[in-house]
Amino acid sequence: MNTRRTMLVANWKMNKTVVEAVGWLNTFYPQAAERAAQQELVEVAVCAPFTVLHPLYVALRRLNSKVKLGAQDVFWQERGAFTGEISAEMLQEFRTKYVICGHSERRVLLQESSEMVSRKCGAAVKAGITPILCVGESISVRRGGLLLQWLEAQLYESLAFWDNQETIVVAYEPVWAIGTGQSATAADAEQACGYIRQVLRERAGEMADHISILYGGGVTPENIGELLDCPNVDGALVGGASLDPDAFGKIVLAGCKEQPK
Ligand code: PEP
């Protein structure tokens, strides 16, 4: 039987100072993280700004916590004259387990291409960091009936680095649902995540059944249950609601009730 863990991943984006980040952890930890830690099939991660990775790393070690650290970006070169960038090795220093690659805010605002995203994912896996590859369509693509073609093309281009064996996570994040408070329905999320798994299966065979596919876009404590009930939705990437430790705690607790898929 194939068993995929339920992953609940916070994406803090450009939010939280050191004091705020540690304060968040102190509130979140006792109510949700301990419970999640007892369940081997639930993985909780926080993708934080670079500036708070070290203090969180220290705080998580002090708590002997199973909550994992994630970053929100990485550069594809190992070192050199790349002002403002950060390497996978630098992220490794804080036991960063995940890195978000190709978030739509970077694809849209900073014109990150799928080729760049693929190179970033490749640098991450080389350093032993699991990329959380984000794909998703704009509202015009969806209205134009081009959802599946769009997802397939974005996946193929962004996964050019992949040898079909390395561990990756894919997040389906419809651009129109991100930060808008307008979530996809569970049926929409299942359709897209199911299609992503089909594309991964064409590419990597049975390996696709072991890849966690997350949904992201307007996830809240209210809608997480129905999203996680979808057979191909293995977890959630949570932006706005993850900033509040109580709300993210409720989302994690909902994940703890899920049966493994
Ligand atoms: C995100 O940015 O990854 C995200 C899912 O945002 P939100 O939950 O705020 O829609």
Side-chain angles (χ1 to χ4, degrees):
M1 194 188 98
N2 122 70
T3 343
R4 297 188 296 270
R5 284 191 293 188
T6 301
M7 290 184 63
L8 289 318
V9 183
N11 174 16
W12 283 354
K13 313 191 188 197
M14 198 177 72
N15 291 292
K16 298 207 186 290
T17 61
V18 171
V19 170
E20 289 166 347
V22 174
W24 182 98
L25 190 62
N26 289 337
T27 309
F28 169 74
Y29 193 76
Q31 51 178 6
E34 258 178 318
R35 167 96 183 271
Q38 288 155 14
Q39 311 215 357
E40 235 168 71
L41 288 167
V42 177
E43 173 99 325
V44 179
V46 178
C47 294
F50 300 134
T51 49
V52 302
L53 287 177
H54 183 255
L56 281 182
Y57 164 72
V58 172
L60 289 168
R61 270 185 69 132
R62 186 172 39 80
L63 291 165
N64 199 16
S65 171
K66 287 195 176 159
V67 172
K68 301 296 185 299
L69 269 186
Q72 299 170 18
D73 191 29
V74 65
F75 196 55
W76 56 79
Q77 296 283 358
E78 286 176 12
R79 60 185 58 222
F82 305 105
T83 303
E85 295 296 344
I86 194 155
S87 73
E89 186 190 13
M90 292 168 183
L91 297 178
Q92 260 279 351
E93 285 194 295
F94 311 127
R95 300 267 154 83
T96 303
K97 183 168 181 192
Y98 298 102
V99 60
I100 296 173
C101 293
H103 192 281
S104 65
E105 283 153 12
R106 299 192 63 84
R107 289 183 188 263
V108 174
L109 294 173
L110 300 167
Q111 281 81 48
E112 248 182 39
S113 66
S114 289
E115 195 223 324
M116 290 158 82
V117 172
S118 170
R119 295 173 76 180
K120 290 181 175 203
C121 291
V125 294
K126 197 169 165 209
I129 300 174
T130 300
I132 300 177
L133 166 65
C134 297
V135 294
E137 80 291 359
S138 64
I139 195 66
S140 58
V141 166
R142 174 167 278 266
R143 286 193 181 134
L146 297 170
L147 169 67
L148 303 187
Q149 291 95 312
W150 179 270
L151 290 178
E152 183 173 3
Q154 240 185 6
L155 275 172
Y156 265 86
E157 288 163 20
S158 305
L159 287 174
F161 78 95
W162 194 41
D163 73 1
N164 295 358
Q165 294 306 317
E166 295 133 332
T167 305
I168 57 167
V169 173
V170 178
Y172 167 60
E173 296 215 307
V175 179
W176 47 269
I178 294 188
T180 59
Q182 185 196 348
S183 174
T185 62
D188 286 341
E190 172 58 18
Q191 183 207 15
C193 293
Y195 183 69
I196 288 169
R197 197 172 310 281
Q198 187 184 316
V199 173
L200 293 174
R201 205 172 278 131
E202 280 159 20
R203 166 93 191 253
E206 283 182 9
M207 171 74 177
D209 294 325
H210 301 279
I211 295 174
S212 293
I213 302 178
L214 315 183
Y215 167 76
V219 173
T220 62
E222 288 70 42
N223 63 16
I224 184 71
E226 56 179 345
L227 289 162
L228 290 180
D229 282 344
C230 300
N232 281 295
V233 177
D234 303 317
L237 185 54
V238 188
S242 75
L243 296 175
D244 172 1
D246 292 320
F248 191 60
K250 285 184 186 138
I251 290 169
V252 167
L253 291 178
C256 291
K257 292 190 197 128
E258 280 301 297
Q259 295 301 313
K261 291 173 185 157

